[in-house]
Amino acid sequence: EQFGGKLYLELGGKLFDDNHASRVLPGFRPDSKVAMLLNLRNQAELVIAISADDIEKNKLRGDLGITYDAEVLRLIDAFRGIGLYVGSVVLTRWNKQRSAVMFKQRLESLGVPVYRHYNIEGYPYNVKHIVSDQGFGANEYVETTRPLVLVTAPGPGSGKMATCLSQLYHDHKRGIKAGY
C-alpha cells in the first residue's frame, strides 16, 4: 500500500530447501521463504525470469544438476503444488535464440504466459537510453493481476532486477504507482 498498490519484490536464492541458509543463519529454517510466501498467497503472484542466453547454453544448476529451463518447469510445478499463483515467465536477453524459442513454445503449450525482454545497449551504464522507449520501453509489459509481484529465477544473472525495473518503467508510463 505504501507504493500505490503494486510492489515488485525480487526473490533470490533458494526458495525451497535452503539448507545452507539454515546452517549459517540462526533460527532460519530450510522452508522459511516458502512459509512467508504461503502467508501472502492471496496477494502475491510469481513471475519467473530466465535468460534466453542461459537456455541456449544449457546452463546447469550446480546443486541439482539440471538445466535452468528444466528448473523453471520444476519451480512452476512446485509453486502451484503448494497453492501459489505463477503468473508468467519472462525470457530476458531475448534475441530469438533457437532453444529459447522452443522453450517459449513449450511454456505457451502448457498455458504459461511468456514475455520477452531484450538486450538493452549500454545496460547498466547508459541510464538515459535504458530508461526510454528504446530501452525498458522496448520490453514486453508483463500483465500482472495481484498487488505483490514476486520475481524469482532459476539462478543468478537471470534478469530479476531488470525485470522489476522494466515493470516500474511500464507502470509509470501507464499511470500505475508501483514500488520495488
Side-chain angles (χ1 to χ4, degrees):
E1 291 173 2
Q2 291 176 341
F3 296 102
K6 179 73 84 176
L7 176 63
Y8 296 94
L9 181 61
E10 179 183 342
L11 292 175
K14 288 184 178 182
L15 300 179
F16 296 96
D17 304 319
D18 195 344
N19 293 311
H20 171 71
S22 67
R23 280 193 311 274
V24 299
L25 299 171
F28 192 92
R29 294 184 330 264
D31 63 346
S32 289
K33 290 179 187 175
V34 170
M36 176 206 53
L37 295 178
L38 289 173
N39 286 325
L40 301 168
R41 85 175 83 194
N42 294 329
Q43 302 170 61
E45 78 179 84
L46 286 138
V47 172
I48 303 172
I50 179 173
S51 168
D53 287 340
D54 290 344
I55 298 168
E56 191 67 19
K57 294 174 190 171
N58 284 314
K59 188 171 183 177
L60 292 176
R61 275 195 56 150
D63 57 343
L64 299 176
I66 63 173
T67 60
Y68 273 30
D69 54 336
E71 173 65 350
V72 167
L73 296 171
R74 187 185 80 83
L75 286 171
I76 290 169
D77 287 344
F79 289 136
R80 288 179 174 171
I82 59 171
L84 293 171
Y85 172 57
V86 178
S88 59
V89 170
V90 177
L91 298 173
T92 64
R93 304 185 63 84
W94 177 263
N95 193 24
K96 298 181 184 172
Q97 297 91 329
R98 188 183 64 78
S99 297
V101 169
M102 292 187 321
F103 186 59
K104 179 180 183 295
Q105 292 168 345
R106 182 171 183 194
L107 288 168
E108 290 170 339
S109 74
L110 295 171
V112 178
V114 180
Y115 298 91
R116 296 166 297 181
H117 285 190
Y118 303 91
N119 288 317
I120 300 173
E121 189 176 329
Y123 187 89
Y125 304 107
N126 186 348
V127 176
K128 186 175 182 178
H129 176 71
I130 295 163
V131 185
S132 74
D133 288 342
Q134 294 73 43
F136 286 142
N139 290 336
E140 294 178 344
Y141 179 61
V142 179
E143 298 289 339
T144 60
T145 59
R146 298 193 179 174
L148 179 59
V149 180
L150 307 167
V151 181
T152 192
S158 294
K160 297 180 298 289
M161 183 177 84
T163 297
C164 292
L165 295 176
S166 181
Q167 286 297 105
L168 289 177
Y169 177 84
H170 283 284
D171 282 347
H172 176 74
K173 296 273 292 190
R174 287 169 170 73
I176 299 168
K177 292 183 178 181
Y180 167 63

